[in-house]
């Protein structure tokens, strides 16, 4: 049989294209347990290990673990809230923002989300190929681009299959078991080779405020916030969606952040992918465990790619979903072939500065104003644009970077210099309460204060 025929048969058996309309009840197959498995698996991966490694040795182990617990609770709570909305409304994440921002106003988060998702998909492809190449190079097989083609092709096929197929046929039957066993093996080996008592007593070296560390934890689950409804809309109406999303994502986030910190403190790992991959091989006794981690990484790339397609459909609903999946998969693979990961921390904080205030706006509009239910008329009969809704987003974005002046908003430092040159104080909140909490709170309050007219 020709390859083209096999691909066509796969497409015919894949999940139906529901587009952006509410998913009918007969297509809602996921339970609360399914969602816990999915989001437990999506919240872990080698990039989460790398981010956890950024917390130490600046923070001591007790402070790092506390920052992880606080940040995971905050970030996963916001994630589960939007997931609950997706379950009740049955629509993708970007459609949920239509009542608050307007039909065309929702194009703004759709575009921002699309850029983020294509970027994350490329990063995931690059990370998986890099880590696989670290393992295979030990046996004289150095073929980064070969691994890239393999992982990109596999994840693109997953995205064509759709969420229900991936959860039921891949994660629950194989993927989650392999990932849990591999993670447990690494954890036990780290605890065995490391002097936990000494690590616990050792002070941090400084340089990373506690609440900035919390921000770095919050941003990982929040980066999934625009995607979560794309999957919870396939949950049964009686499923415990909030508990499933929160529980799965909290356990995965906290475990892998802590594991990344321990790889640095107990195994001397570097804070890059090669350093983390090499440390995993050394601690766990071979590349098989590292390869098992890659099994858990495939669904991350799948989810980013699938949701990039759904976000694009909010902009152009008539574009065929399967062809769009193939096109964006190829684009992400091409980007990954030229990628190098620099200033990863700044990239994470930039994502947080966009989606933390967006979650504040949504929580105020859906949870308070709409009392937890929009309905199809509000979702698809929204006005074209609600310009006042940009005020909470822009204010929250600015406050986030006022608290943590990084990246393209380093203009804050320029303003700070002018203000301090006049002899006036210019307080930064980052060392006191971080950026996530004040940014969310400001967007939430302003969203309730600004007028909402048709």
């Amino acid at each position: 049989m020709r390859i083209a025929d096999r691909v066509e048969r796969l497409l015919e058996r894949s999940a139906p294209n529901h587009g952006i309309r509410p998913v009918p009840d007969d297509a809602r197959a996921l339970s609360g347990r399914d969602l816990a498995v999915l989001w437990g698996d999506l919240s872990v991966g080698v990039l989460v290990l790398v981010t956890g490694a950024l917390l130490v040795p600046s923070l001591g182990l007790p402070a790092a673990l506390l920052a992880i617990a606080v940040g995971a609770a905050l970030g996963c709570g916001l994630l589960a809230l939007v997931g609950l909305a997706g379950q009740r409304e049955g629509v993708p994440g970007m459609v949920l923002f239509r009542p608050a921002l307007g039909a065309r106003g929702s194009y703004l988060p759709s575009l921002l989300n699309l850029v983020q998702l294509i970027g994350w998909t490329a990063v995931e492809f690059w990370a998986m190929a890099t880590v696989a190449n670290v393992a295979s190079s030990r046996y004289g097989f150095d073929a980064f681009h070969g691994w890239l083609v393999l992982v990109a092709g596999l994840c693109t096929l997953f995205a064509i299959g759709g969420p229900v197929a991936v959860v039921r046929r891949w994660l629950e039957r194989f993927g989650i078991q392999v990932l849990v066993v591999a993670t447990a093996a690494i954890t036990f080996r780290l605890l065995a080779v490391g002097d936990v008592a000494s690590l616990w007593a050792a002070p941090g070296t400084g340089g990373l405020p506690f609440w900035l560390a919390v921000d770095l934890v919050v941003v990982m689950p929040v980066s999934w916030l625009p995607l979560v409804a794309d999957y919870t809309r396939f949950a049964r109406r009686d499923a415990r969606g909030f508990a499933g999303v929160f529980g799965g994502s909290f356990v995965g986030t906290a475990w892998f952040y802590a594991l990344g910190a321990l790889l640095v403190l107990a195994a001397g790992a570097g804070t890059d992918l090669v350093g983390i991959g090499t440390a995993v091989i050394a601690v766990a006794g071979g590349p098989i465990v590292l390869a098992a981690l890659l099994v858990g990484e495939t669904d991350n790339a799948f989810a980013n790619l699938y949701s990039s397609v759904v976000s694009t459909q909010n902009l152009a609903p008539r574009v065929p979903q399967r062809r769009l999946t193939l096109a964006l998969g190829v684009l992400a693979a091409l980007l990954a072939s030229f990628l190098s990961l620099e200033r990863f921390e700044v990239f994470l904080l930039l994502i947080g500065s966009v989606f933390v205030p967006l979650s504040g706006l949504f929580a105020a509009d859906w949870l308070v104003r709409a009392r937890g239910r929009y309905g199809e008329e509000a979702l698809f009969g929204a006005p074209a644009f609600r310009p006042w809704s940009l005020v909470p987003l822009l204010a929250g974005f600015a406050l986030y970077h006022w608290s943590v002046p990084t990246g393209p908003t380093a203009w804050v430092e320029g303003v700070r210099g002018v203000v301090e040159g006049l002899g006036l104080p210019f307080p930064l909140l980052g060392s006191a309460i971080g950026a996530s909490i004040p940014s969310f709170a400001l967007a939430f309050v302003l969203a309730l204060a600004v007028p909402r007219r048709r």
Side-chain angles (χ1 to χ4, degrees):
M1 180 182 294
R2 295 184 301 118
I3 294 179
D5 293 334
R6 294 190 178 189
V7 172
E8 184 62 30
R9 289 184 62 183
L10 173 65
L11 294 178
E12 290 175 354
R13 294 196 302 266
S14 64
N17 179 9
H18 295 291
I20 62 174
R21 305 300 299 188
V23 176
D25 287 349
D26 59 1
R28 290 169 170 255
L30 300 181
S31 64
R33 176 180 176 273
D34 294 329
L35 294 176
V37 170
L38 174 63
W39 287 100
D41 201 75
L42 287 177
S43 62
V44 305
V46 291
L47 290 174
V48 185
L49 294 179
V50 172
T51 312
L54 296 175
L55 306 184
V56 293
S58 298
L59 294 179
L61 183 58
L65 294 180
L66 180 59
I68 290 168
V70 173
L74 293 174
C76 297
L78 295 177
L79 182 71
L81 175 65
V82 180
L84 178 63
Q87 178 187 4
R88 288 185 181 178
E89 309 293 348
V91 297
M94 291 300 100
V95 177
L96 287 174
F97 295 109
R98 288 186 172 195
L101 295 170
R104 294 182 181 177
S106 70
Y107 292 177
L108 175 60
S110 293
L111 287 171
L112 293 173
N113 191 41
L114 180 60
V115 172
Q116 174 200 218
L117 291 172
I118 293 298
W120 269 119
T121 303
V123 169
E124 292 287 355
F125 286 173
W126 172 79
M128 294 169 67
T130 298
V131 172
N133 203 47
V134 167
S136 66
S137 295
R138 293 172 62 92
Y139 301 97
F141 184 69
D142 187 357
F144 168 80
H145 288 94
W147 287 115
L148 178 60
V149 171
L150 178 62
V151 300
L154 178 62
C155 295
T156 301
L157 288 178
F158 278 177
I160 291 173
V164 174
V166 169
V167 173
R168 289 289 181 84
R169 300 176 187 175
W170 169 250
L171 293 182
E172 291 186 351
R173 293 183 181 179
F174 179 70
I176 193 66
Q177 292 90 340
V178 171
L179 181 61
V180 169
V181 170
T183 306
I186 299 170
T187 304
F188 289 136
R189 286 292 298 164
L190 278 174
L191 295 177
V193 302
D195 186 347
V196 178
S198 298
L199 295 176
W200 189 266
T205 60
L208 179 68
F210 174 83
W211 286 103
L212 180 57
V214 171
D215 288 330
L216 287 174
V217 181
V218 169
V219 74
M220 272 298 186
V222 166
S223 69
W224 289 109
L225 187 144
L227 289 66
V228 60
D230 300 351
Y231 309 96
T232 57
R233 66 178 178 145
F234 291 97
R236 298 195 302 264
R237 294 191 181 276
D238 61 347
R240 296 180 178 179
F242 185 93
V245 174
F246 180 83
S249 61
F250 181 87
V251 170
T253 298
W255 192 355
F256 262 61
Y257 264 88
L259 200 57
L262 283 174
L263 281 169
V264 173
L265 295 176
T271 57
D272 60 359
L273 276 171
V274 174
I276 291 294
T278 302
V280 168
I281 291 175
V283 170
I288 294 178
V289 174
L290 186 63
L293 287 181
L294 293 178
V295 172
E297 199 76 22
T298 54
D299 64 291
N300 294 46
F302 140 75
N304 284 305
L305 179 56
Y306 175 80
S307 288
S308 68
V309 173
V310 176
S311 291
T312 303
Q313 285 189 306
N314 187 46
L315 303 171
R318 296 183 180 180
V319 178
Q321 185 170 348
R322 293 163 182 167
R323 294 181 184 178
L324 190 57
T325 303
L326 291 172
L328 294 182
V330 171
L331 174 60
L334 291 174
L335 291 175
S337 65
F338 298 103
L339 186 66
S340 62
L341 202 59
E342 297 177 353
R343 304 193 73 192
F344 185 49
E345 181 179 337
V346 173
F347 172 64
L348 292 176
L349 293 173
L350 183 59
I351 291 175
S353 70
V354 173
F355 293 110
V356 165
L358 184 63
S359 65
L361 168 69
F362 176 78
D365 195 74
W366 182 74
L367 193 61
V368 178
R369 275 184 164 160
R371 299 181 180 180
R373 187 59 193 261
Y374 279 140
E376 192 167 352
E377 181 179 353
L379 289 165
F380 294 96
F385 187 50
R386 296 190 191 275
W388 284 104
S389 295
L390 295 180
V391 174
L393 295 180
L394 294 176
F397 178 86
L399 182 58
Y400 193 105
H401 286 281
W402 186 355
S403 306
V404 185
T406 58
T409 53
W411 55 268
V412 175
E413 291 290 5
V415 175
R416 180 184 184 182
V418 172
V419 173
E420 292 181 344
L422 297 174
L424 300 174
F426 189 86
L428 293 175
L429 303 177
S431 60
I433 57 174
S436 298
I437 294 176
S439 175
F440 175 89
L442 180 62
F444 183 90
V445 171
L446 288 180
L448 295 177
V450 297
R452 182 182 178 186
R453 304 187 182 93
R454 292 193 61 87

